[in-house]
Amino acid sequence: MSTPTEFSFTDYQPYDFANRRHIGPSPAEMQEMLKVVGYGSLDALIDATVPKGIRQDAPLIWGAPMTEREALDRLREIANKNRTLVSLIGQGYYGTITPPVIQRNILENPAWYTAYTPYQPEISQGRLEALINYQTMVCDLTGLDVANASLLDEATAAAEAMAMAERVAKSKAKTFFVDENCHPQTIALIKTRAAPLGWQVLVGNPDEHLKANEVFGALFQYPGTYGHVRDFTALIAKLHENGAIATVAADPLALALLKSPGEMGADIAIGSTQRFGVPVGYGGPHAAYMAVKDAYKRSMPGRLVGVSVDARGNRAYRLSLQTREQHIRREKATSNICTAQVLLAVMASMYAVFHGPEGIKAIAQQVHRKAVLMAKGLEKLGYTVEPETFFDTITVDVGHMQGLILRAAVAEGVNLRKIDSTRIGISLDERTRPAALEAVWRAFGGHFRLADFESNSGSDWRLPKPLLRKSAYLTHPIFHMNRAESEMTRYIRRLSDRDLALDRAMIPLGSCTMKLNATAEMLPITWPEFSDIHPFVPADQALGYKEMLDDLAQKLCAVTGYDAFSMQPNSGAQGEYAGLLTIRNYHIASGNAHRDVCLIPTSAHGTNPASAQMVGMKVVVVKVTETGDIDMADFRAKAQEHAANLSCCMITYPSTHGVFEETVREICEITHSHGGQVYLDGANMNAMVGLARPGDIGSDVSHLNLHKTFCIPHGGGGPGMGPIGVKAHLAPHLPGHPETDGREGAVSAAPYGSASILPISWSYCLMMGGEGLTQATKVAILNANYIAARLSGAYDVLYTAENGRVAHECIIDTRPLSDSAGVSVDDVAKRLIDCGFHAPTMSWPVAGTLMIEPTESETKAEIDRFCEAMLAIREEARAIEDGRMDRTNNPLKNAPHTVEDLVGDWDRPYSREQACYPPGAFRVDKYWSPVNRVDNVYGDRNLICTCPPVESYAEAAE
Ligand SMILES: *Cc1c(COP(=O)(O)O)cnc(C)c1O
């Protein structure tokens, strides 16, 4: 013992220095876990697990790991290089005020942002309610019957609408018409999407160029990108006469004042809900919406929340119809949308709850009033303002004065839109202050005060009278609750309390890498220097973004062995789409336009074949052997058979079975030898970072799911980022963007996708350093092998390498329980809820199994709690096998149990104690599922996708 006077330096490493933030098990725990797995050291386990043939030569190094404070200081420096001017650029992105109660309690609240996609409805009732509010809001505003929740951005939603129109139109024409008043980025994405499918895109003035009998559909923008507000009723009727489908891209705020697309007869409405309280964020993330007529609901892409009942007949929400349809329909899926924008849809829906119809209408009116005032000032200066009637956007042709005015405006702190060489666009929004109007007038040469115009503002609206909205919206009582902040806070809290997110328990989802989203990484996303930058500002206002994007791309190149990265795709599936397009462009440029065959193993993630279909490729399925590896003989044969037309193969590494296949290099070689390119799905990169690089193995292009491996939170089903890395020969064929390089092939509305969440991944890289990232990979592999070791014996672990090792995830076979005890994989998943866990990935890639991925973030204690729950479930099944428990009335079949099960009669052959407090469940901090098991079939048979009557609204906010 040291005496009080003695002083010596400790060698204890505070957590910030030893990457304890991200790495769950302590060094001592790791030793214990290694003993269970049977290795003397972490490196010995890694050497035995990751094949020598694929290990990277040099360690990942880019400077010492930073402490949280150092990383945040660095981010602050970078942020300060972005200039936050007032942007009145419009073009799909508008200033908005995020109500602080929503910012703090949703956007900055891990109970919301760390949740997973609501595939397990029982533990997702809160966000499902928020999403059905969203769908109701969209249906009301657009005047259509069914809305999804949600799509990635307005431009991809428009491209999805076109694809849907082609599917459902009676017309067999192959041309799609696009109103020239659509946003340029929307037009660009439509062209990207149409080209590989052989559809023509005709852009023009609908009055002159739209020949309804020659198109399968048309897209109109409402209001138009230059401000026009017009009635499309007659054009839509003409389309319908010819069996074509009409889509209207509509601004939801404008719809508070204007006749809805549904009332004009539109079949589909799409748009962005960004200006419902979601910061512009240099392009994203924001939720796009799609609403359709009832007749088309089964063809709609994206996720649809519906109402069903639970085992007690109580109301319960769930995802309906299209849920996971890519996994079922593969290359025949309606779209590849997987991760969408759930968190942002939740925010937008809460904005509508917060303001209600009266508030939304008032905001829309104030925006319009500002636009009218702006116009009056410019008219007083002698400018002609177009159009005559408008909502929030006006256009002024200033001739050769354009440069001067735009520069003067910037000097005044305001960005205006440069439309062409003479016209300027101005869009007003919720945030525009009087000072900004006066600043714009000064830039145009006028020294007015707002007060000069205020007196006569009430009477002179410039909305087109015949288009004024008469129909009601947001009539459901949820949009009429008492708006005291205490109520709002409690409503948000109540919903999040119903859900099980990472802030309560591990979410061991195979392939989805639900790892820690560190608080320090999350802080910068709401800094105005990141969140308040319009995506189309002049480059010199986003120098901080540029520096961060460049550095992140460089680090991702180092991690993957690729030469260039595109940050445009805003989900993994969009990355696949962008990567396959890049391959397609490369083949076309090399004179091989005919190469259109894509080899995909049966074990591939459903988005792979769905994406291949979107770029017009022919999917050829390759077999998988009984051990889960790609069947090499079949691969070789199919590659040979299709050699003349081989475009590429799409593989996942480590495989979707969680194994490092030894044959991966050979697969790349075979593909290359037949003139094909290799697409390596990077969703499993958490098993590779620092140990192996796709680029070294022989792959040509990959997407990374930054919302898996690189710490962007899942948000309950989005946002995400799916940047793609490519080898040098593919770099010239990466997606372009009309607002940056002017090249074709844009895949996202914004040039850098959902740029504002990239600081999360970047700060993760800074705080971990290359060494820390490598350590994370190793511990992820240790954690998975530890689970496999602890559960083997009780369960079969499917698909291990020859030495019995798994990669970063493992598949547990529950099918034997079905024969022996009548226990399904569903029963196991639902029983895990009673134990306080989110189920692992269910029935993918193999039906009837569970795929478990613990990630490096989980501590030994949490993993042990999970293993004990799984082992106890096995014992419950054994009781059934042995005849000690009833085959149909047992804790597995009746799971999950709720508080309802604690009251009233109890006639079950097991105790309430056993029902509600199985091993794993916390006594005090017990997670209670708010509903009993949800009836999926009922929900699909009785499809209801808007808010149900209020009587059933629990105790919510009267
Ligand atoms: C998650 C995942 C995807 C799709 O990514 P999203 O971001 O959800 O679109 C693709 N492939 C694999 C193997 C995945 O795990």
Side-chain angles (χ1 to χ4, degrees):
M1 285 298 289
S2 51
T3 65
T5 51
E6 235 178 281
F7 179 89
S8 68
F9 281 100
T10 169
D11 56 8
Y12 177 76
Q13 296 272 294
Y15 106 130
D16 217 8
F17 292 91
N19 279 316
R20 291 305 315 282
R21 180 188 318 99
H22 278 280
I23 293 178
S26 69
E29 286 171 346
M30 277 189 236
Q31 284 312 316
E32 292 172 44
M33 295 165 80
L34 281 162
K35 227 177 271 161
V36 174
V37 180
Y39 289 84
S41 71
L42 191 54
D43 284 328
L45 168 69
I46 297 306
D47 288 343
T49 304
V50 186
K52 280 213 172 42
I54 65 147
R55 287 289 288 270
Q56 68 192 62
D57 305 330
L60 202 55
I61 305 181
W62 56 56
M66 289 187 188
T67 63
E68 292 182 348
R69 197 170 143 196
E70 285 167 346
L72 286 168
D73 283 350
R74 179 85 190 90
L75 261 123
R76 177 44 53 214
E77 264 173 52
I78 291 280
N80 289 343
K81 295 181 188 175
N82 290 333
R83 292 175 57 210
T84 50
L85 274 59
V86 172
S87 284
L88 305 181
I89 298 171
Q91 203 178 327
Y93 302 91
Y94 308 90
T96 181
I97 296 168
T98 310
V101 66
I102 293 176
Q103 174 174 328
R104 169 73 40 110
N105 296 296
I106 295 178
L107 181 58
E108 298 174 343
N109 180 354
W112 284 98
Y113 68 69
T114 69
Y116 180 63
T117 307
Y119 291 137
Q120 296 287 336
E122 293 84 0
I123 52 95
S124 311
Q125 290 296 305
R127 55 194 184 277
L128 287 167
E129 176 164 322
L131 292 177
I132 212 159
N133 292 347
Y134 177 85
Q135 292 176 180
T136 305
M137 166 190 100
V138 170
C139 287
D140 281 6
L141 288 169
T142 59
L144 285 161
D145 305 313
V146 185
N148 69 12
S150 55
L151 293 175
L152 293 165
D153 59 36
E154 177 167 346
T156 46
E160 291 289 348
M162 169 180 66
M164 183 180 150
E166 202 271 342
R167 283 197 301 277
V168 302
K170 292 207 180 66
S171 164
K172 292 293 158 240
K174 289 294 161 213
T175 298
F176 188 70
F177 181 85
V178 183
D179 186 343
E180 63 193 4
N181 278 326
C182 289
H183 295 316
Q185 69 272 19
T186 301
I187 297 173
L189 258 79
I190 294 240
K191 287 181 174 168
T192 305
R193 183 79 182 263
L197 300 170
W199 305 335
Q200 305 301 312
V201 176
L202 182 63
V203 182
N205 175 342
D207 299 319
E208 293 171 28
H209 306 116
L210 173 55
K211 298 200 178 65
N213 59 337
E214 292 177 10
V215 300
F216 64 81
L219 173 71
F220 310 106
Q221 185 109 37
Y222 179 66
T225 190
Y226 311 116
H228 302 79
V229 182
R230 58 167 296 183
D231 196 343
F232 298 109
T233 306
L235 290 166
I236 290 172
K238 231 196 279 167
L239 287 164
H240 286 169
E241 277 165 34
N242 290 279
I245 296 290
T247 302
V248 174
D251 171 358
L253 190 62
L255 294 182
L257 305 180
L258 296 171
K259 185 171 164 181
S260 71
E263 290 166 298
M264 293 182 187
D267 304 287
I268 307 173
I270 58 106
S272 167
T273 58
Q274 177 265 315
R275 71 192 307 179
F276 276 37
V278 182
V280 284
Y282 202 40
H286 329 116
Y289 73 81
M290 177 183 275
V292 302
K293 282 185 178 164
D294 190 71
Y296 302 125
K297 67 187 174 212
R298 281 168 207 275
S299 304
M300 185 170 56
R303 297 209 174 92
L304 187 59
V305 177
V307 184
S308 189
V309 293
D310 74 357
R312 289 181 175 273
N314 290 328
R315 196 203 61 232
Y317 302 107
R318 55 180 281 279
L319 291 178
S320 43
L321 298 181
Q322 294 92 335
T323 309
R324 308 190 58 178
E325 68 131 17
Q326 295 112 20
H327 281 296
I328 298 158
R329 304 196 56 211
R330 317 287 293 180
E331 68 272 13
K332 292 183 190 69
T334 49
S335 93
N336 69 345
I337 298 290
C338 184
T339 289
Q341 304 282 18
V342 166
L343 187 69
L344 304 312
V346 168
M347 286 178 69
S349 82
M350 286 297 180
Y351 181 90
V353 171
F354 180 73
H355 288 297
E358 304 86 356
I360 300 283
K361 184 172 181 179
I363 292 166
Q365 288 181 341
Q366 283 160 16
V367 167
H368 178 62
R369 191 154 153 262
K370 292 178 213 177
V372 171
L373 284 167
M374 176 64 81
K376 283 187 174 184
L378 297 177
E379 283 162 352
K380 195 160 176 181
L381 290 167
Y383 290 99
T384 307
V385 169
E386 288 189 76
E388 256 172 55
T389 57
F390 51 81
F391 165 58
D392 66 340
T393 298
I394 54 173
T395 300
V396 195
D397 195 326
V398 296
H400 66 278
M401 297 287 287
Q402 194 200 49
L404 213 66
I405 293 173
L406 288 176
R407 276 195 298 279
V410 167
E412 292 277 0
V414 182
N415 290 313
L416 305 176
R417 177 175 174 194
K418 174 177 159 51
I419 294 172
D420 46 29
S421 57
T422 61
R423 286 187 298 163
I424 288 175
I426 307 172
S427 294
L428 289 303
D429 60 55
E430 185 187 5
R431 275 170 74 130
T432 317
R433 310 294 293 264
L437 283 128
E438 293 170 4
V440 173
W441 289 328
R442 279 195 299 277
F444 277 81
H447 291 265
F448 310 134
R449 313 281 317 168
L450 199 63
D452 302 345
F453 304 96
E454 289 268 40
S455 55
N456 55 351
S457 62
S459 57
D460 47 9
W461 281 41
R462 297 206 195 168
L463 290 161
K465 284 238 163 54
L467 284 178
L468 287 182
R469 180 157 190 148
K470 296 194 187 71
S471 55
Y473 49 85
L474 305 182
T475 53
H476 190 276
I478 197 64
F479 301 109
H480 294 266
M481 68 180 224
N482 184 323
R483 295 196 184 86
E485 184 167 322
S486 48
E487 264 321 303
M488 196 67 200
T489 308
R490 287 170 197 155
Y491 181 54
I492 293 171
R493 170 68 188 257
R494 252 199 305 268
L495 292 192
S496 62
D497 272 0
R498 292 177 200 166
D499 291 8
L500 191 73
L502 276 177
D503 63 333
R504 280 190 206 248
M506 75 187 281
I507 301 184
L509 274 155
S511 211
C512 290
T513 314
M514 297 292 291
K515 68 204 282 182
L516 172 77
N517 318 115
T519 314
E521 291 150 10
M522 293 299 295
L523 291 178
I525 64 161
T526 44
W527 293 356
E529 293 82 359
F530 289 121
S531 66
D532 289 351
I533 308 277
H534 190 286
F536 307 147
V537 296
D540 65 358
Q541 291 175 28
L543 294 177
Y545 259 119
K546 181 167 178 10
E547 195 172 324
M548 180 195 64
L549 289 163
D550 288 349
D551 192 62
L552 179 60
Q554 209 175 359
K555 289 187 163 57
L556 296 180
C557 283
V559 165
T560 55
Y562 288 121
D563 301 305
F565 257 84
S566 166
M567 296 293 175
Q568 217 181 108
N570 45 17
S571 78
Q574 288 305 89
E576 295 168 18
Y577 171 64
L580 293 175
L581 278 173
T582 304
I583 291 175
R584 181 175 180 272
N585 295 339
Y586 166 77
H587 283 314
I588 292 172
S590 326
N592 289 315
H594 61 281
R595 287 191 173 273
D596 66 351
V597 170
C598 179
L599 303 179
I600 301 183
T602 51
S603 57
H605 194 266
T607 52
N608 289 190
S611 299
Q613 165 270 134
M614 285 168 67
V615 298
M617 287 185 183
K618 297 196 180 82
V619 174
V620 171
V621 177
V622 180
K623 284 188 213 144
V624 171
T625 65
E626 265 174 28
T627 58
D629 295 346
I630 292 175
D631 182 328
M632 289 307 290
D634 194 47
F635 190 88
R636 211 173 280 116
K638 298 257 164 75
Q640 209 138 35
E641 184 188 337
H642 296 281
N645 295 319
L646 186 63
S647 171
C648 58
C649 71
M650 272 184 112
I651 55 172
T652 305
Y653 203 78
S655 75
T656 53
H657 294 115
V659 175
F660 289 104
E661 287 165 282
E662 304 263 2
T663 50
V664 61
R665 273 182 190 279
E666 206 181 334
I667 284 171
C668 297
E669 281 159 23
I670 295 169
T671 307
H672 288 147
S673 73
H674 293 297
Q677 296 282 296
V678 176
Y679 187 100
L680 190 148
D681 182 325
N684 288 345
M685 200 65 203
N686 211 48
M688 291 176 78
V689 175
L691 300 181
R693 311 197 307 169
D696 297 345
I697 293 170
S699 173
D700 301 291
V701 46
S702 295
H703 75 264
L704 298 180
N705 297 65
L706 299 188
H707 49 298
K708 296 178 181 173
T709 315
F710 290 86
C711 295
I712 289 174
H714 243 71
M721 270 297 279
I724 55 172
V726 294
K727 286 285 182 59
H729 66 282
L730 292 179
H733 307 288
L734 283 169
H737 197 280
E739 297 295 329
T740 51
D741 52 19
R743 287 191 307 112
E744 299 203 332
V747 296
S748 289
Y752 309 104
S754 299
S756 67
I757 51 178
L758 290 173
I760 301 168
S761 297
W762 192 55
S763 41
Y764 174 59
C765 291
L766 295 181
M767 294 195 296
M768 295 295 272
E771 238 171 282
L773 289 182
T774 310
Q775 178 74 357
T777 309
K778 292 176 179 176
V779 177
I781 292 172
L782 169 63
N783 281 356
N785 277 285
Y786 176 71
I787 288 183
R790 280 212 60 189
L791 297 186
S792 72
Y795 299 92
D796 284 345
V797 178
L798 289 182
Y799 312 121
T800 57
E802 271 166 30
N803 60 4
R805 298 277 63 83
V806 297
H808 65 313
E809 57 195 6
C810 61
I811 298 180
I812 299 292
D813 198 353
T814 54
R815 288 170 299 188
L817 302 185
S818 158
D819 301 331
S820 65
V823 170
S824 70
V825 67
D826 240 39
D827 298 333
V828 177
K830 304 309 177 194
R831 186 63 172 144
L832 275 169
I833 296 173
D834 287 335
C835 305
F837 286 103
H838 190 296
T841 299
M842 220 174 71
S843 286
W844 185 78
V846 185
T849 65
L850 292 171
M851 181 158 60
I852 302 167
E853 180 183 356
T855 82
E856 70 280 6
S857 315
E858 295 305 334
T859 61
K860 179 170 179 294
E862 182 70 351
I863 292 174
D864 282 338
R865 186 169 78 90
F866 176 74
C867 290
E868 271 136 39
M870 287 297 294
L871 294 173
I873 287 171
R874 181 66 191 88
E875 287 313 311
E876 287 181 343
R878 205 180 307 284
I880 302 168
E881 290 166 359
D882 298 350
R884 287 178 282 126
M885 182 59 77
D886 190 83
R887 254 181 109 85
T888 51
N889 189 5
N890 60 54
L892 287 156
K893 284 285 167 214
N894 294 327
H897 297 83
T898 63
V899 172
E900 293 292 326
D901 290 312
L902 291 183
V903 295
D905 295 336
W906 183 259
D907 55 0
R908 297 188 178 158
Y910 55 96
S911 71
R912 284 172 160 154
E913 171 88 23
Q914 188 185 349
C916 299
Y917 292 103
F922 294 119
R923 197 80 199 179
V924 174
D925 301 309
K926 159 87 181 163
Y927 169 75
W928 288 101
S929 173
V931 293
N932 290 101
R933 197 173 305 189
V934 175
D935 186 335
N936 286 319
V937 178
Y938 180 92
D940 272 353
R941 273 209 207 109
N942 307 277
L943 195 64
I944 301 173
C945 301
T946 51
C947 296
V950 77
E951 306 83 75
S952 49
Y953 256 69
E955 296 97 336
E958 266 99 55

PDB file of all heavy atoms in Angstrom, residues 619-631:
ATOM      1  N   VAL A 619     -30.041 -10.936 -64.518  1.00  0.00           N
ATOM      2  CA  VAL A 619     -29.484 -11.592 -63.345  1.00  0.00           C
ATOM      3  C   VAL A 619     -29.379 -13.097 -63.598  1.00  0.00           C
ATOM      4  O   VAL A 619     -30.364 -13.747 -63.925  1.00  0.00           O
ATOM      5  CB  VAL A 619     -30.359 -11.322 -62.103  1.00  0.00           C
ATOM      6  CG1 VAL A 619     -29.857 -12.128 -60.918  1.00  0.00           C
ATOM      7  CG2 VAL A 619     -30.379  -9.832 -61.796  1.00  0.00           C
ATOM      8  N   VAL A 620     -28.168 -13.621 -63.467  1.00  0.00           N
ATOM      9  CA  VAL A 620     -27.956 -15.065 -63.547  1.00  0.00           C
ATOM     10  C   VAL A 620     -27.554 -15.537 -62.150  1.00  0.00           C
ATOM     11  O   VAL A 620     -26.589 -15.043 -61.570  1.00  0.00           O
ATOM     12  CB  VAL A 620     -26.875 -15.416 -64.588  1.00  0.00           C
ATOM     13  CG1 VAL A 620     -26.517 -16.901 -64.511  1.00  0.00           C
ATOM     14  CG2 VAL A 620     -27.355 -15.049 -65.982  1.00  0.00           C
ATOM     15  N   VAL A 621     -28.348 -16.452 -61.617  1.00  0.00           N
ATOM     16  CA  VAL A 621     -28.169 -16.856 -60.232  1.00  0.00           C
ATOM     17  C   VAL A 621     -27.132 -17.976 -60.129  1.00  0.00           C
ATOM     18  O   VAL A 621     -27.168 -18.936 -60.895  1.00  0.00           O
ATOM     19  CB  VAL A 621     -29.512 -17.305 -59.639  1.00  0.00           C
ATOM     20  CG1 VAL A 621     -29.329 -17.790 -58.209  1.00  0.00           C
ATOM     21  CG2 VAL A 621     -30.510 -16.156 -59.691  1.00  0.00           C
ATOM     22  N   VAL A 622     -26.223 -17.821 -59.181  1.00  0.00           N
ATOM     23  CA  VAL A 622     -25.174 -18.821 -58.960  1.00  0.00           C
ATOM     24  C   VAL A 622     -25.487 -19.580 -57.674  1.00  0.00           C
ATOM     25  O   VAL A 622     -25.902 -18.983 -56.678  1.00  0.00           O
ATOM     26  CB  VAL A 622     -23.788 -18.152 -58.844  1.00  0.00           C
ATOM     27  CG1 VAL A 622     -22.707 -19.197 -58.611  1.00  0.00           C
ATOM     28  CG2 VAL A 622     -23.493 -17.335 -60.083  1.00  0.00           C
ATOM     29  N   LYS A 623     -25.260 -20.889 -57.720  1.00  0.00           N
ATOM     30  CA  LYS A 623     -25.590 -21.724 -56.558  1.00  0.00           C
ATOM     31  C   LYS A 623     -24.621 -21.513 -55.402  1.00  0.00           C
ATOM     32  O   LYS A 623     -23.489 -21.072 -55.578  1.00  0.00           O
ATOM     33  CB  LYS A 623     -25.540 -23.203 -56.963  1.00  0.00           C
ATOM     34  CG  LYS A 623     -26.747 -23.644 -57.760  1.00  0.00           C
ATOM     35  CD  LYS A 623     -26.697 -25.164 -57.928  1.00  0.00           C
ATOM     36  CE  LYS A 623     -27.295 -25.530 -59.276  1.00  0.00           C
ATOM     37  NZ  LYS A 623     -26.647 -26.646 -59.911  1.00  0.00           N
ATOM     38  N   VAL A 624     -25.106 -21.891 -54.235  1.00  0.00           N
ATOM     39  CA  VAL A 624     -24.289 -21.876 -53.030  1.00  0.00           C
ATOM     40  C   VAL A 624     -24.216 -23.318 -52.534  1.00  0.00           C
ATOM     41  O   VAL A 624     -25.209 -24.038 -52.571  1.00  0.00           O
ATOM     42  CB  VAL A 624     -24.921 -20.943 -51.973  1.00  0.00           C
ATOM     43  CG1 VAL A 624     -24.228 -21.085 -50.639  1.00  0.00           C
ATOM     44  CG2 VAL A 624     -24.873 -19.499 -52.444  1.00  0.00           C
ATOM     45  N   THR A 625     -23.038 -23.726 -52.093  1.00  0.00           N
ATOM     46  CA  THR A 625     -22.889 -25.119 -51.648  1.00  0.00           C
ATOM     47  C   THR A 625     -23.516 -25.309 -50.276  1.00  0.00           C
ATOM     48  O   THR A 625     -23.921 -24.354 -49.618  1.00  0.00           O
ATOM     49  CB  THR A 625     -21.403 -25.504 -51.519  1.00  0.00           C
ATOM     50  OG1 THR A 625     -20.845 -24.707 -50.469  1.00  0.00           O
ATOM     51  CG2 THR A 625     -20.661 -25.271 -52.804  1.00  0.00           C
ATOM     52  N   GLU A 626     -23.535 -26.563 -49.852  1.00  0.00           N
ATOM     53  CA  GLU A 626     -24.132 -26.849 -48.550  1.00  0.00           C
ATOM     54  C   GLU A 626     -23.380 -26.180 -47.417  1.00  0.00           C
ATOM     55  O   GLU A 626     -23.947 -25.917 -46.360  1.00  0.00           O
ATOM     56  CB  GLU A 626     -24.158 -28.367 -48.324  1.00  0.00           C
ATOM     57  CG  GLU A 626     -25.494 -28.939 -48.723  1.00  0.00           C
ATOM     58  CD  GLU A 626     -25.520 -30.438 -48.645  1.00  0.00           C
ATOM     59  OE1 GLU A 626     -24.761 -31.002 -47.835  1.00  0.00           O
ATOM     60  OE2 GLU A 626     -26.287 -31.029 -49.405  1.00  0.00           O
ATOM     61  N   THR A 627     -22.117 -25.885 -47.649  1.00  0.00           N
ATOM     62  CA  THR A 627     -21.355 -25.224 -46.595  1.00  0.00           C
ATOM     63  C   THR A 627     -21.531 -23.706 -46.640  1.00  0.00           C
ATOM     64  O   THR A 627     -20.919 -22.990 -45.854  1.00  0.00           O
ATOM     65  CB  THR A 627     -19.852 -25.553 -46.722  1.00  0.00           C
ATOM     66  OG1 THR A 627     -19.427 -25.139 -48.024  1.00  0.00           O
ATOM     67  CG2 THR A 627     -19.591 -27.023 -46.532  1.00  0.00           C
ATOM     68  N   GLY A 628     -22.362 -23.233 -47.556  1.00  0.00           N
ATOM     69  CA  GLY A 628     -22.669 -21.803 -47.584  1.00  0.00           C
ATOM     70  C   GLY A 628     -21.776 -21.002 -48.504  1.00  0.00           C
ATOM     71  O   GLY A 628     -21.996 -19.811 -48.699  1.00  0.00           O
ATOM     72  N   ASP A 629     -20.758 -21.631 -49.060  1.00  0.00           N
ATOM     73  CA  ASP A 629     -19.862 -20.904 -49.962  1.00  0.00           C
ATOM     74  C   ASP A 629     -20.442 -20.870 -51.376  1.00  0.00           C
ATOM     75  O   ASP A 629     -21.291 -21.682 -51.726  1.00  0.00           O
ATOM     76  CB  ASP A 629     -18.488 -21.590 -50.014  1.00  0.00           C
ATOM     77  CG  ASP A 629     -17.785 -21.523 -48.669  1.00  0.00           C
ATOM     78  OD1 ASP A 629     -18.231 -20.734 -47.809  1.00  0.00           O
ATOM     79  OD2 ASP A 629     -16.807 -22.267 -48.483  1.00  0.00           O
ATOM     80  N   ILE A 630     -19.943 -19.925 -52.153  1.00  0.00           N
ATOM     81  CA  ILE A 630     -20.339 -19.899 -53.561  1.00  0.00           C
ATOM     82  C   ILE A 630     -19.862 -21.187 -54.218  1.00  0.00           C
ATOM     83  O   ILE A 630     -18.722 -21.615 -54.020  1.00  0.00           O
ATOM     84  CB  ILE A 630     -19.733 -18.661 -54.262  1.00  0.00           C
ATOM     85  CG1 ILE A 630     -20.386 -17.390 -53.701  1.00  0.00           C
ATOM     86  CG2 ILE A 630     -19.919 -18.745 -55.774  1.00  0.00           C
ATOM     87  CD1 ILE A 630     -19.798 -16.111 -54.219  1.00  0.00           C
ATOM     88  N   ASP A 631     -20.739 -21.816 -54.970  1.00  0.00           N
ATOM     89  CA  ASP A 631     -20.411 -23.067 -55.662  1.00  0.00           C
ATOM     90  C   ASP A 631     -19.479 -22.729 -56.832  1.00  0.00           C
ATOM     91  O   ASP A 631     -19.901 -22.178 -57.848  1.00  0.00           O
ATOM     92  CB  ASP A 631     -21.714 -23.699 -56.160  1.00  0.00           C
ATOM     93  CG  ASP A 631     -21.488 -25.041 -56.846  1.00  0.00           C
ATOM     94  OD1 ASP A 631     -20.412 -25.219 -57.470  1.00  0.00           O
ATOM     95  OD2 ASP A 631     -22.389 -25.881 -56.776  1.00  0.00           O
TER      96      ASP A 631
END
